[in-house]
Amino acid sequence: LRPLELVSYPVELVVAEQGDGYRISLSHQAEVPAVFLEAETPSRYRVVDVSPRVLEVQEILGHGGLKVPAAARERVVALVREQNPALPIRAEIDAIDLPAVEGLTVPVIRLQPLGAGLEQGLKVALLARPFGDEGPHYLVGQGGRSVLAMVGGRRQRVHRDLDGERAAATALVTACPTLEQLGDGHEWLIEDPETCLDLLLELQECGKPVCIEWPEGKPLRVSGPISGERLSLGLKRARDWFQLTGAVTIDEDLVLDMTDLLERLGRAPGRFIPLDDGRFITLTAAFRKQLDRLRRVSESDRNGRRLSAFSSVAVQDLVEDAGKVEADRHWRALAARVRAASEHKPVVPSTLQADLRDYQVEGFAWLSRLAHWGAGACLADDMGLGKTVQAIAAMLERAAMGPCLVVAPTSVCHNWESELARFAPTLRTLRFTAGGNERAALVAGLGAMDVLITSYGLLHQEADRLAAVSWRMVVLDEAQAIKNAETRRAQASQRLQAEFRVALTGTPIENYLDELWSLFNIVNPGLLGSRESFQRRFVTPIERDRDPAARDALRALIRPFILRRTKSAVLGELPPRTEMTIEVDLAEDERAFYEALRRKALESIEGLGDSAPGQRRIHILAEIMRLRRACCHPGLVDPSTTLPGAKLGVFLELVQELIRNHHKALVFSQFVGQLGRVRAALDALAIRY
């Protein structure tokens, strides 16, 4: 429901030319006292009161009005005025008892809020006021050309330029896109507060003559648009963070603190920001986006806002656009380091024994630039695109400065040994598997060109020892292993001291926000803030509110530090087929099970004695087949065993990665029993096949 506006209008004495004389009549006639309702617009009605005094005039003029010769016109009008002096005259002639002046053609926009402020919208009317501020309203281009009214306590008469009124109104509507979109008419209802403010700003800046009236409530003002040039910024280091302070100059009388502006920004959905005095300030779309990004990538504290060094890239455009920036030497050094890293032109080490494809060269260069900056990286290329060889190339570039560390699942550690021996023979590869004193001696003897390989399991067991080393580069392979920040392996990974940290994963982690925080809390500590802050600034707005601005801000924050290419994106550079051999280490209990089978097989063969060669050969082949089945899964040999099967475990990890990357796969085994166990495992996980 919308309010209905009732406006009192008087009965008018109409004087119009007719033939060689004039017809003098009333605008409204009735048999008895009556009230007429006449619609001006869908929500505005005229109320015309035909009072007994008007009926007395009607008796003089008759129902159809009175036709008089030209000489009698003034005498009849005077007679009517004696009977009812308050009766206004609408004259369609050039002269009456008062001289006429030219009426004003400036359009009048009358604005009436439909509720408190603009929450429920605005009623907009386009009118003419030919007498000026104190005279009556008329519909633009409609009504009599010569009109009289009581203005300022005296009768006045104006000659309306109806064509001029229409032209001025048309020019105003054309200059205000919001009015133009509302369509033809003289009155509109705008329900969207943002559109209402757009209209106010357009009216203020259209450059066309216009009179804005607020018959009810306090007039609303809109300042702007304001760009980043009005921003003054202060940047200085505060422990592990950078402190941001600033102010935005609105006009000569108002300067708004940046922290206050960011808080208001969080409550305002668009580019119009309400102030306490009822005024609105307007931000340019670019400045609004920059401030919103700053609000999301920084954290509030008692001194204003703070952000990590790694977040500086996400607000660089705001800093560059600011009208005034006061930065300490730490911020200037950071900016210089980031600039130098972007200009760094890495060269693939000559000792790398591999011909990198173009996208792999790009991946190496990206890793090298981040290492040059001092930031960590997440290389998330699709599986099979050679993340390992790209990381080894970066390792060769840094190994001369000190030891490097590779942390991987146990099943992948042997693959790292093989790949390092194949692609980087100048590096000394060491496996961190021995116990006690041997591990201490191994770590103590590490130096330049050394690469230590360990599993996530050993990492948290030897966290103190490994955290005491200053590593030049740490590679966290299959980084989905540290997706849960609560696990000991994730906490041990975070303690590692490294100049350059690289996480390798084939999983699109950006789709799993809590995992994303855990990963970057290790790779680039502080980038995403505390876990609670990350939940408040990103997880809740993205997952619950589906806020695109929050998602865009998060992407801007992590984009410099994450690189992901899919097979479809680099298909032209790939060979027809890529073979990957994944070696699986057996757990201790499964290895003991296999060793017992092997010894039993040897004893069985020795027990054959001098059997016929053919029989002996068949028996040996049977034992070998039995051992092969045990390697696939212990349950294929001993159905009663509770051993889970290392190969099946690695297979299920691989399946999860395939599913997350939307791949299809063909699974083959020589043993039907093994396929049966695969089927059961997939059923248990509700995976379609």
Side-chain angles (χ1 to χ4, degrees), residues 510-511 513 538 542 546-556:
E510 62 269 27
N511 295 333
L513 297 184
F538 295 110
I542 291 173
R546 307 296 181 188
D547 184 353
R551 183 173 289 278
D552 290 344
L554 179 58
R555 284 174 177 163

Side-chain angles (χ1 to χ4, degrees), residues 634-661:
L636 298 181
V637 176
D638 181 6
S640 65
T641 183
T642 58
L643 294 174
K647 270 193 176 181
L648 184 60
V650 172
F651 166 76
L652 292 177
E653 291 177 3
L654 184 61
V655 164
Q656 295 292 348
E657 186 171 345
L658 290 168
I659 289 173
R660 282 191 171 186
N661 287 281

Side-chain angles (χ1 to χ4, degrees), residues 217-412:
K218 186 177 180 181
L220 299 177
R221 292 180 296 156
V222 182
S223 302
I226 296 168
S227 67
E229 295 177 353
R230 302 277 192 94
L231 173 66
S232 299
L233 264 183
L235 299 153
K236 64 178 182 179
R237 192 171 72 176
R239 294 188 177 181
D240 298 330
W241 300 82
F242 279 96
Q243 197 76 47
L244 273 77
T245 56
V248 177
T249 302
I250 307 304
D251 53 37
E252 294 180 356
D253 302 320
L254 179 61
V255 177
L256 202 60
D257 181 75
M258 186 183 70
T259 302
D260 182 24
L261 177 58
L262 292 180
E263 291 177 356
R264 294 176 185 274
L265 196 70
R267 301 192 296 266
R271 62 193 181 105
F272 298 99
I273 312 300
L275 302 181
D276 295 336
D277 62 357
R279 185 174 11 166
F280 289 82
I281 61 172
T282 312
L283 306 178
T284 63
F287 192 36
R288 170 70 163 86
K289 185 176 181 179
Q290 290 171 343
L291 287 175
D292 187 63
R293 180 176 295 175
L294 172 63
R295 181 176 66 88
R296 295 177 188 275
V297 304
S298 62
E299 295 187 33
S300 176
D301 67 6
R302 60 184 180 181
N303 296 318
R305 308 292 297 188
R306 67 176 190 176
L307 79 165
S308 74
F310 302 122
S311 306
S312 61
V313 176
V315 298
Q316 189 60 37
D317 57 344
L318 174 65
V319 176
E320 292 175 353
D321 290 348
K324 182 180 179 182
V325 177
E326 294 182 0
D328 68 2
R329 61 184 179 87
H330 301 290
W331 180 271
R332 293 195 299 272
L334 171 64
R337 195 161 64 247
V338 173
R339 186 167 54 253
S342 66
E343 297 171 354
H344 176 54
K345 300 185 183 303
V347 177
V348 177
S350 59
T351 52
L352 181 70
Q353 301 300 300
D355 292 326
L356 299 183
R357 302 183 183 101
D358 289 346
Y359 75 87
Q360 292 173 330
V361 173
E362 292 173 4
F364 156 74
W366 175 76
L367 291 170
S368 179
R369 291 190 185 100
L370 286 179
H372 198 70
W373 173 11
C378 175
L379 183 57
D381 282 349
D382 205 349
M383 59 184 303
L385 295 187
K387 293 186 291 293
T388 301
V389 72
Q390 295 175 68
I392 290 175
M395 198 178 295
L396 278 169
E397 188 183 47
R398 305 192 62 75
M401 295 179 282
C404 300
L405 176 67
V406 173
V407 185
T410 303
S411 59
V412 182

Side-chain angles (χ1 to χ4, degrees), residues 5 33 40 115 225 241 259 263 266 284 374 399 421 448 462 512 583 602 653:
E5 184 181 5
E40 278 189 357
W241 300 82
T259 302
E263 291 177 356
T284 63
E462 295 286 343
Y512 304 89
E583 298 192 8
L602 290 174
E653 291 177 3

